[in-house]
Amino acid sequence: MDSITILQPDDWHAHLRDGESLKRTVPDLARQFNRVICMPNLVPPVKTVSEAQAYRERIMAHVPEGVNFDPRMVLYFTDHTVPDEVAKIKASNEVNAIKLYPAGATTNSDSGVSDIRKVYHVIEQLEEHQVPLLLHGEVTHNHVDIFDREKRFLDEVLTPLLRQFPNLKMVLEHITTADAANFVLEQGRNVAATITPQHLLFNRNDLLVGGVKPHFYCLPILKRQSHQTTLLEVATSGNPKFFLGTDSAPHAQSKKENACGCAGCYSAPYAIELYAQAFDQMGKIEKLEGFASHFGADFYGLARNTDTITLVRKPQTIAERMDYLPNDDIIPLHAGQTIDWSVVSGGS
């Protein structure tokens, strides 16, 4: 198959940042996606529905003219989130979920939840109102090996959580291991997962062999090839529990190529083509539409998009660098490399 037309995809996990960053991130995402879950780990974090609505207005100010773009907002779960905020999420037309970052797990997560048991009274309301809980699924104990942190989270946090709240609607974000994929498969329909393009296309050899490649560094970190293989299998299986979430995260080149480089891969400008590359490598390009355009909308209870985009088997080279902040560029994921797919039309 050399061409495929699919319903316009949605990105159910992306970082747009704020301020000057929006000039880059919003047009890049709006080029391909209709709805985007906008992660709330700003400084300061987006903690209330009113703050989320104000953030959405700042995003909308950067949408290119004539482009339909629908940012879907998320609150940042803290130790001090009040249960009443859940009902406000449910009543909102623009806020869809709440995101739990274990404190210290990733970029701007210092305000995250220190112990999930402290917020069970809020999670009880999430279960009652069927508001999705989005989870960065890693423990953050210093003594736990970074490659084991997702598995330990499944065993020590998620299993007890779902035992306590069996009907909780939950997305395990950016899964990276066979353990996480199998965990999601074993749960009911209320538990789903997003998968990024970097975890489908690359593994820890790409990050580490021949020298550390800072632009492949993300959290959760790339894992061994056997985990990558399982992620490819479940993503391309047509199982509606797995759907697209890029975790595209912009960091200036000077912050990535640094003695303590930031974690995050910037995939927004080429995301759907990168996913097409992964699905095509598995001989499953026909399964891309479900993963990219159907399953996430269905899980969130939103209507599927009606516009379409067309991808063709036409090689393109990813830019070496892109304008970002004044005097600082951004290096996109797989920069300078040629991929086999290109978007040729959209919005029909």
Side-chain angles (χ1 to χ4, degrees):
M1 185 182 295
D2 293 325
S3 174
I4 182 170
T5 297
I6 65 173
L7 291 181
Q8 187 177 10
D10 300 307
D11 185 350
W12 299 102
H13 186 129
H15 298 271
L16 287 79
R17 308 296 188 225
D18 206 353
E20 193 80 13
S21 297
L22 297 176
K23 295 179 182 179
R24 171 87 261 169
T25 60
V26 174
D28 282 348
L29 283 161
R31 169 180 169 264
Q32 300 187 339
F33 300 108
N34 177 24
R35 287 168 294 217
V36 171
I37 284 282
C38 304
M39 287 299 164
N41 57 330
L42 308 182
V43 179
V46 178
K47 296 184 288 188
T48 67
V49 168
S50 61
E51 291 172 355
Q53 290 168 336
Y55 180 33
R56 189 177 192 274
E57 290 177 6
R58 299 196 296 275
I59 292 169
M60 293 301 295
H62 295 276
V63 178
E65 186 175 354
V67 173
N68 292 323
F69 187 61
D70 183 13
R72 311 306 302 180
M73 311 312 295
V74 178
L75 302 193
Y76 190 114
F77 210 153
T78 77
D79 286 347
H80 308 292
T81 299
V82 296
D84 290 349
E85 205 67 34
V86 176
K88 295 178 184 178
I89 297 173
K90 187 68 175 180
S92 170
N93 292 323
E94 299 160 344
V95 184
N96 287 97
I98 189 165
K99 175 69 180 291
L100 191 153
Y101 295 92
T106 189
T107 304
N108 298 336
S109 62
D110 293 344
S111 299
V113 171
S114 61
D115 183 338
I116 198 168
R117 291 167 295 185
K118 292 182 178 179
V119 295
Y120 269 15
H121 61 298
V122 182
I123 295 174
E124 182 178 27
Q125 292 300 304
L126 293 173
E127 183 182 46
E128 180 178 333
H129 289 283
Q130 286 294 282
V131 169
L133 173 65
L134 315 184
L135 284 160
H136 181 115
E138 292 186 289
V139 298
T140 56
H141 316 305
N142 289 335
H143 67 277
V144 178
D145 189 295
I146 192 169
F147 292 102
D148 297 333
R149 291 181 174 187
E150 187 169 272
K151 175 65 164 64
R152 290 284 293 270
F153 187 88
L154 300 173
D155 296 340
E156 298 172 13
V157 179
L158 272 197
T159 297
L161 178 68
L162 287 171
R163 190 179 300 124
Q164 182 78 14
F165 303 103
N167 297 313
L168 179 65
K169 197 166 187 176
M170 187 188 79
V171 182
L172 189 56
E173 299 289 349
H174 44 51
I175 63 170
T176 66
T177 61
D179 307 282
N182 290 328
F183 182 91
V184 172
L185 287 169
E186 291 164 1
Q187 308 308 312
R189 297 182 64 180
N190 56 307
V191 177
T194 58
I195 307 178
T196 75
Q198 62 264 28
H199 291 104
L200 292 177
L201 288 169
F202 310 110
N203 58 62
R204 66 188 190 182
N205 276 2
D206 298 289
L207 171 66
L208 298 171
V209 171
V212 177
K213 318 297 194 308
H215 300 288
F216 283 120
Y217 175 52
C218 57
L219 289 174
I221 198 165
L222 295 175
K223 303 300 193 300
R224 63 173 69 244
Q225 185 178 20
S226 59
H227 293 297
Q228 178 193 3
T229 298
T230 298
L231 295 182
L232 282 164
E233 289 170 352
V234 297
T236 62
S237 68
N239 189 313
K241 294 169 75 68
F242 302 95
F243 44 84
L244 187 155
T246 62
D247 195 21
S248 181
H251 293 286
Q253 182 178 3
S254 64
K255 300 294 186 182
K256 288 287 287 179
E257 298 174 5
N258 190 288
C260 187
C262 297
C265 299
Y266 191 62
S267 59
Y270 304 93
I272 196 63
E273 295 102 316
L274 289 166
Y275 281 111
Q277 186 90 1
F279 276 65
D280 191 32
Q281 288 174 4
M282 294 291 286
K284 296 287 187 69
I285 192 69
E286 75 281 359
K287 297 290 188 179
L288 179 62
E289 185 175 41
F291 178 84
S293 311
H294 296 173
F295 304 151
D298 296 347
F299 183 85
Y300 277 90
L302 300 170
R304 295 177 181 178
N305 297 321
T306 55
D307 288 346
T308 61
I309 66 169
T310 297
L311 296 109
V312 297
R313 193 184 300 279
K314 178 183 177 183
Q316 64 168 317
T317 301
I318 294 175
E320 293 275 3
R321 63 185 63 247
M322 310 177 87
D323 293 337
Y324 184 42
L325 301 177
N327 304 314
D328 216 341
D329 291 338
I330 194 168
I331 309 299
L333 179 66
H334 216 28
Q337 301 303 306
T338 299
I339 55 176
D340 297 333
W341 290 85
S342 300
V343 174
V344 294
S345 66
S348 64

